[in-house]
C-alpha cells in the first residue's frame, strides 16, 4: 500500500532576495576579509542562514581604522 500524501501538492520554492547576501568587504579591513571568507564557506556548505547573518555583519561593520 502506498504512503498517504499529507499535502496537496509539491512544496513551493520561494525566491530569495539577493540583497540578503549583499555586503562588500572594505579594502584592507581584516574583519571584513574574515567575514567574507566565512560567508563563502557557509555558502559552500549550503548554510544560507549563516551566510545571511555574516552578510549583515559586513554591511553593518564600521570599518574603524581602515584607510
Amino acid at each position: 500500500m502506498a504512503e498517504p500524501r499529507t499535502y496537496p501538492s509539491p512544496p513551493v520554492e520561494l525566491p530569495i532576495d539577493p540583497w540578503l547576501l549583499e555586503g562588500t568587504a572594505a579594502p584592507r579591513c581584516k574583519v571584513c576579509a574574515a567575514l567574507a571568507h566565512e560567508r563563502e564557506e557557509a555558502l559552500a556548505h549550503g548554510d544560507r542562514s549563516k551566510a545571511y547573518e555574516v552578510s549583515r555583519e559586513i554591511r553593518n561593520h564600521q570599518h574603524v581604522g581602515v584607510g
Side-chain angles (χ1 to χ4, degrees):
M1 184 168 160
E3 290 288 320
R5 196 153 99 171
T6 58
Y7 50 88
S9 62
V12 175
E13 293 289 330
L14 299 175
I16 301 297
D17 187 350
W19 179 82
L20 291 171
L21 289 174
E22 287 181 4
T24 305
R28 299 178 307 279
C29 179
K30 291 180 182 179
V31 173
C32 284
L35 289 170
H37 179 72
E38 188 176 343
R39 176 176 53 192
E40 293 303 317
E41 285 185 348
L43 288 172
H45 288 96
D47 189 352
R48 295 183 72 82
S49 178
K50 179 68 175 179
Y52 301 150
E53 290 175 22
V54 174
S55 293
R56 184 182 65 236
E57 287 184 53
I58 292 171
R59 287 191 302 271
N60 294 334
H61 186 244
Q62 296 297 314
H63 313 295
V64 176
V66 175

